[in-house]
């Protein structure tokens, strides 16, 4: 998700620090343009684009295969899905080629599969970190494992689906940390804040006059929104907080639903089955 918004701001700061950065994005034109822009601005030639469409498990596998062939090291994986997906559902039908709802696959299942496919490389490059960009919207999430990945019922289905996917993000980090104990690979779930990026690009035209001024007045910009991701990616001495939830660069105790270890373990097992990793 490095072609715009929080992802681009995060990639820019990492490039400034001298990191080799791979922008994994769906749109090739925007991805190449973002990589070129970051190279020019920072003087860091080690910034490249690789195609990845999280709405396609086939694309996730192809990306992972190409990455593992081309990149011998991986010290930091930032799972930063596009925020526009929830509004895109309204006009796009809301289902992926794999038969899952678009928000849930892009925000959770695609990242889950990607992380699993890259995990051995992260372990061989340790110490390394995984940052999962979640959202405070997890508070309204509800996970029903027997219908996981399917659009929830009701008039607010799209919004509920987004909240469910963000609860899955927080639980994914929690269970991942448990399974990675002793490997020197740590992980963190983060809330980036309410960020004025391209969130409303797919909003209905009649709603934009209300939403856009609201965003400019009350939302932070992308650079500010990237700070918690960058903190978890680069701060020293936070390894003991692996699996925890961060908000405004500080550890926060999430709601009970996001601290349910039995649900986290069941979500992991169900996600493995859905993406074909059993």
């Amino acid at each position: 998700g490095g072609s715009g918004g929080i992802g681009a701001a995060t990639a820019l700061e990492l490039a400034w620090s001298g990191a080799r950065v791979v922008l994994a994005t769906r749109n090739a034109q925007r991805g190449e343009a973002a990589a070129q822009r970051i190279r020019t601005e920072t003087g860091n030639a080690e910034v490249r684009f690789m195609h990845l469409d999280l709405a396609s498990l086939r694309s996730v596998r192809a990306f992972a295969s190409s990455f593992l062939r081309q990149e011998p090291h991986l010290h930091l994986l930032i799972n930063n899905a596009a925020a526009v997906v929830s509004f895109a559902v309204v006009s796009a039908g809301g289902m992926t080629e794999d038969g899952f709802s678009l928000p849930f696959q892009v925000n959770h299942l695609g990242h889950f599969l990607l992380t699993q496919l890259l995990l051995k490389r992260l372990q061989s490059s340790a110490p390394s970190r995984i940052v999962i960009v979640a959202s405070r919207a997890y508070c309204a999430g509800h996970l029903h494992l027997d219908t996981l990945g399917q659009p929830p019922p009701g008039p607010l289905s799209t919004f509920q689906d987004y909240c469910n996917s963000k609860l899955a993000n927080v639980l994914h980090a929690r269970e991942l940390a448990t399974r990675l104990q002793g490997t020197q690979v740590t992980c963190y779930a983060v809330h980036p804040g309410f960020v004025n990026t391209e969130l409303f690009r797919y909003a209905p035209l009649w709603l934009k006059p209300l939403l856009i001024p609201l965003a400019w007045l009350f939302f932070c910009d992308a650079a500010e929104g990237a700070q918690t991701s960058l903190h978890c990616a680069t701060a020293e001495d936070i390894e003991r907080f692996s699996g925890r939830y961060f908000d405004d660069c500080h550890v926060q105790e999430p709601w009970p639903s996001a601290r349910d270890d039995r649900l986290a373990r069941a979500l992991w097992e169900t996600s493995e089955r859905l993406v074909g990793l059993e």
Side-chain angles (χ1 to χ4, degrees):
S3 64
I6 302 167
T10 304
L12 178 65
E13 289 301 317
L14 292 173
W16 272 118
S17 73
R20 175 170 173 80
V21 180
V22 175
L23 303 182
T25 68
R26 178 178 60 86
N27 186 299
Q29 184 176 359
R30 294 185 65 194
E32 292 282 12
Q36 179 60 51
R37 185 168 61 250
I38 293 171
R39 287 194 296 267
T40 300
E41 185 170 341
T42 63
N44 183 345
E46 298 297 313
V47 180
R48 59 178 299 222
F49 156 79
M50 289 182 67
H51 179 264
L52 170 63
D53 183 359
L54 290 164
S56 165
L57 299 182
R58 175 173 45 86
S59 175
V60 174
R61 290 189 173 90
F63 169 86
S65 178
S66 296
F67 182 93
L68 293 172
R69 285 197 309 270
Q70 299 172 28
E71 300 289 341
H73 304 289
L74 179 58
H75 297 282
L76 175 62
L77 172 64
I78 300 183
N79 290 327
N80 177 83
V84 298
V85 70
S86 57
F87 281 116
V89 170
V90 175
S91 58
M95 301 299 289
T96 70
E97 65 182 41
D98 302 292
F100 304 114
S101 72
L102 185 58
F104 199 84
Q105 178 165 333
V106 169
N107 288 336
H108 172 64
L109 290 174
H111 282 151
F112 179 86
L113 176 60
L114 178 66
T115 302
Q116 290 299 97
L117 294 176
L118 298 180
L119 201 51
K120 288 185 178 179
R121 185 60 45 86
L122 284 158
Q123 291 173 322
S124 67
S125 303
S128 54
R129 296 181 183 183
I130 301 163
V131 177
I132 301 173
V133 181
S135 166
R136 202 176 294 166
Y138 83 85
C139 298
H142 303 282
L143 295 180
H144 302 283
L145 299 178
D146 55 338
T147 57
L148 196 72
Q150 300 305 308
L156 297 177
S157 174
T158 299
F159 176 71
Q160 186 62 58
D161 207 11
Y162 177 81
C163 296
N164 295 351
S165 72
K166 292 304 174 181
L167 175 58
N169 288 158
V170 181
L171 290 170
H172 178 203
R174 191 174 183 91
E175 179 66 12
L176 186 57
T178 298
R179 293 172 182 253
L180 290 175
Q181 287 181 11
T183 66
Q184 288 193 292
V185 182
T186 54
C187 58
Y188 314 90
V190 307
H191 170 58
F194 298 102
V195 183
N196 182 16
T197 59
E198 294 183 299
L199 178 64
F200 304 128
R201 182 170 52 162
Y202 293 103
L205 289 176
W206 62 269
L207 199 53
K208 286 185 178 181
L210 172 65
L211 295 177
I212 293 176
L214 185 70
W216 283 109
L217 284 171
F218 299 108
F219 287 24
C220 62
D221 63 25
E224 293 172 315
Q227 292 310 302
T228 305
S229 293
L230 289 164
H231 174 79
C232 289
T234 63
E236 296 181 1
D237 300 324
I238 65 167
E239 288 80 7
R240 66 187 184 278
F241 298 121
S242 184
R244 301 289 296 277
Y245 172 74
F246 280 72
D247 188 348
D248 196 22
C249 297
H250 292 89
V251 176
Q252 300 286 337
E253 192 72 1
W255 285 28
S257 59
R259 304 196 307 267
D260 187 334
D261 289 328
R262 290 181 61 186
L263 179 59
R265 185 166 57 252
L267 170 66
W268 181 286
E269 293 168 353
T270 303
S271 299
E272 277 188 321
R273 177 174 57 80
L274 292 178
V275 302
L277 283 178
E278 282 188 304

